[in-house]
């Protein structure tokens, strides 16, 4: 049976008055808004060349940060794999010793059975999976010879040590699995960022690519001017220091006192650093033109921290693998005191590094699609320079 409901008129009421016209107008507005929302985007919604450049730069920056995370995870994975291999080797050796000890116990038990010299409980002790547990429940140790006691003690010791090492190996294998999973995640993250950047660039027209090149050229010219300014400032400071040193030497000669004893230590330190830096720079210069490849440490390609690590290794200085660790090696110096060989770190997340060569310039592996090259340390503006580190 159909339900009996009181019919109510359609439309809305304001102060008790029906207003169908207002309802109709509201529905019409909703329909128009819906059509507008579903309409195809206009040509004006396409990002400008400047927006594309900023987005691509951001993606490359994010990719480089993800690369450093990948580098750190890969290094951790390698270390964990070595630990697992070492533990498994140790377990294998201990298992062999354990088997030898158990065989010796078995030989004692067999000999006693043949001669009838042992009580059944003694043989049970010698053949037990855990002789210590069996001994704790009985008082059989006084029945064993001194050699048998040593064999039992050795077996118990090896059994405990082997069990412990097996547990360590199992835990290390779990940790290795976790780091390998993190490594895959980091790798996928890098690949996604780079794919997004390539996709943005592929959608540019020939005219837009030309405009983008012009923007980049303008930015490079500004960076080169900043580098020249830094070189001039350093040259002026060096000249002033030399004049002050000459004046001090003249004054010392006039008064008959020596003023060199306080500077000899500093001079020796500077000379030692310069010699090492020269070797690092010589290596870096021979890498110019090689492609940037994320996660690469040479010799055919490099990422940014892979290049600086290899350069300073050529000078006999071992640097950590990632920018995050390299920034903590050596001494932090002000930008005004930067010297050839120093490491220049960029961005708040310290995701990029270059090797300073002088005159405001550096050698670095810039980004995917680019090659190792010389470039102003102001390539992205002074604001992105995080710090300067003297690594030796």
């Amino acid at each position: 049976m159909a339900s009996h409901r009181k019919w109510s008129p359609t439309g809305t009421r304001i102060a008790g008055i029906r207003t169908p016209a207002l309802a109709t107008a509201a529905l019409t507005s909703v329909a128009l808004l819906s059509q507008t929302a579903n309409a195809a985007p206009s040509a004006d919604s396409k990002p400008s060349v400047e927006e594309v450049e900023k987005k691509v730069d951001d993606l490359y920056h994010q990719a480089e940060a993800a690369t450093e995370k990948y580098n750190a995870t890969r290094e951790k994975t390698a270390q964990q794999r070595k630990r697992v291999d070492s533990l498994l080797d140790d377990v294998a050796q201990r298992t062999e010793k354990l088997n030898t000890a158990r065989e010796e116990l078995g030989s004692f038990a067999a000999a006693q059975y043949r001669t009838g010299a042992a009580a059944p409980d003694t043989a049970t002790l010698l053949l037990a999976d855990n002789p210590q547990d069996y001994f704790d429940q009985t008082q059989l140790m006084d029945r064993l010879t001194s050699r048998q006691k040593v064999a039992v003690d050795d077996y118990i010791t090896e059994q405990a040590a082997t069990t412990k090492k097996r547990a360590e190996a199992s835990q290390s294998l779990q940790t290795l699995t976790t780091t390998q999973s993190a490594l895959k995640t980091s790798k996928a993250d890098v690949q996604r960022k780079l794919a997004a950047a390539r996709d943005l660039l592929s959608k540019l027209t020939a005219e837009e690519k030309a405009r983008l090149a012009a923007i980049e050229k303008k930015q490079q010219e500004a960076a080169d001017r900043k580098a020249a300014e830094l070189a001039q400032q350093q040259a002026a400071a060096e000249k002033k220091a030399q004049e002050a040193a000459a004046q001090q030497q003249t004054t010392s000669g006039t008064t008959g006192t020596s003023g060199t004893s306080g500077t000899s230590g500093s001079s020796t330190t500077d000379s030692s650093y310069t010699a090492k830096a020269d070797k690092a720079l010589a290596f870096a210069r021979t890498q110019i033109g090689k492609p940037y490849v994320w996660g690469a440490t040479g010799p055919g390609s490099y990422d940014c921290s892979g290049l600086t690590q290899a350069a300073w290794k050529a000078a006999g200085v071992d640097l950590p693998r990632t920018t995050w660790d390299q920034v903590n090696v050596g001494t932090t110096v002000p930008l005004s005191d930067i010297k050839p060989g120093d490491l220049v770190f960029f961005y708040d997340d310290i995701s990029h590094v270059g090797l300073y060569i002088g005159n405001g310039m550096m050698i670095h592996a810039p980004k995917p699609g680019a090659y190792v090259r010389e470039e102003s340390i102001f390539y992205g503006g002074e604001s992105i320079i995080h710090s300067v580190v003297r690594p030796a």
Side-chain angles (χ1 to χ4, degrees), residues 7-339:
W7 177 84
S8 60
T10 58
T12 58
R13 290 178 178 270
I14 297 179
I17 302 175
R18 289 181 59 204
T19 56
L22 289 175
T24 302
L27 290 173
T28 302
S29 298
V30 171
L32 289 173
L33 288 172
S34 177
Q35 290 175 3
T36 302
N38 295 326
S42 65
D44 292 339
S45 65
K46 182 179 179 179
S48 66
V49 172
E50 290 78 8
E51 290 172 335
V52 169
E53 185 212 19
K54 184 179 185 308
K55 182 62 176 176
V56 168
D57 284 346
D58 287 345
L59 285 168
Y60 279 145
H61 175 200
Q62 293 169 24
E64 199 156 31
T67 295
E68 292 304 311
K69 183 177 180 180
Y70 170 83
N71 291 339
T73 305
R74 185 169 66 172
E75 188 173 42
K76 183 178 180 182
T77 300
Q79 293 171 349
Q80 192 63 33
R81 184 176 288 110
K82 287 181 180 178
R83 173 169 170 75
V84 167
D85 290 344
S86 176
L87 284 170
L88 290 177
D89 288 343
D90 192 9
V91 167
Q93 293 173 4
R94 290 182 181 279
T95 299
E96 187 176 354
K97 290 181 180 179
L98 187 63
N99 291 336
T100 300
R102 186 170 181 79
E103 287 173 3
E104 188 172 7
L105 291 180
S107 67
F108 288 147
Q112 289 182 340
Y113 266 120
R114 285 195 301 270
T115 61
D121 286 343
T122 304
T124 303
L125 165 66
L126 293 173
L127 295 175
D129 288 336
N130 193 334
Q132 182 63 53
D133 288 347
Y134 190 81
F135 171 70
D136 289 342
Q137 298 173 13
T138 61
Q139 303 295 324
L140 295 176
M141 191 60 80
D142 57 346
R143 303 182 189 180
L144 302 180
T145 67
S146 60
R147 184 182 175 188
Q148 290 171 340
K149 290 177 181 178
V150 170
V152 170
D153 288 341
D154 288 348
Y155 181 83
I156 292 171
T157 301
E158 285 300 330
Q159 187 181 51
T162 302
T163 300
K164 180 180 179 181
K165 287 297 179 182
R166 281 175 178 164
E168 289 181 19
S170 177
Q171 181 61 44
S172 292
L173 281 170
Q174 292 179 3
T175 303
L176 178 59
T177 301
T178 301
T179 54
Q180 286 175 329
S181 177
L183 186 64
K184 291 179 181 179
T185 300
S186 298
K187 183 176 182 179
D189 192 23
V190 174
Q191 292 173 332
R192 280 195 300 271
K193 305 294 186 186
L194 297 180
R198 286 193 295 268
D199 182 61
L200 281 172
L201 292 173
S202 68
K203 294 177 180 178
L204 294 177
T205 65
E207 180 183 353
E208 288 171 332
K209 289 178 180 178
R211 285 177 55 200
L212 180 59
I215 292 173
E216 292 176 344
K217 182 180 179 181
K218 185 176 180 181
Q219 291 173 340
Q220 182 178 349
E221 290 172 348
D224 289 344
R225 286 194 297 271
K226 286 286 292 181
E229 290 175 9
L230 177 60
Q232 290 173 358
Q233 292 169 3
Q234 288 188 314
E238 179 67 20
K239 182 179 179 181
K240 185 176 181 180
Q242 290 175 352
E243 290 174 349
Q247 179 64 35
Q248 182 180 6
Q249 188 173 8
T250 301
T251 303
S252 299
T254 302
T255 59
T257 59
S258 174
T260 60
S261 59
T263 60
S264 59
S266 176
S267 177
T268 301
T269 301
D270 290 346
S271 177
S272 175
Y273 180 74
T274 299
K276 292 177 181 178
D278 286 345
K279 291 180 181 179
L281 293 173
F283 177 89
R285 287 191 174 94
T286 63
Q287 310 311 308
I288 290 177
K290 293 183 179 180
Y292 174 103
V293 175
W294 63 274
T297 56
S301 57
Y302 297 90
D303 63 16
C304 66
S305 55
L307 177 63
T308 51
Q309 183 188 45
W312 269 103
K313 186 175 183 179
V317 177
D318 290 327
L319 295 182
R321 176 63 183 93
T322 69
T323 54
W324 302 326
D325 291 327
Q326 289 181 10
V327 74
N328 294 318
V329 175
T331 305
T332 301
V333 297
L335 181 60
S336 59
D337 191 34
I338 191 170
K339 293 181 178 180

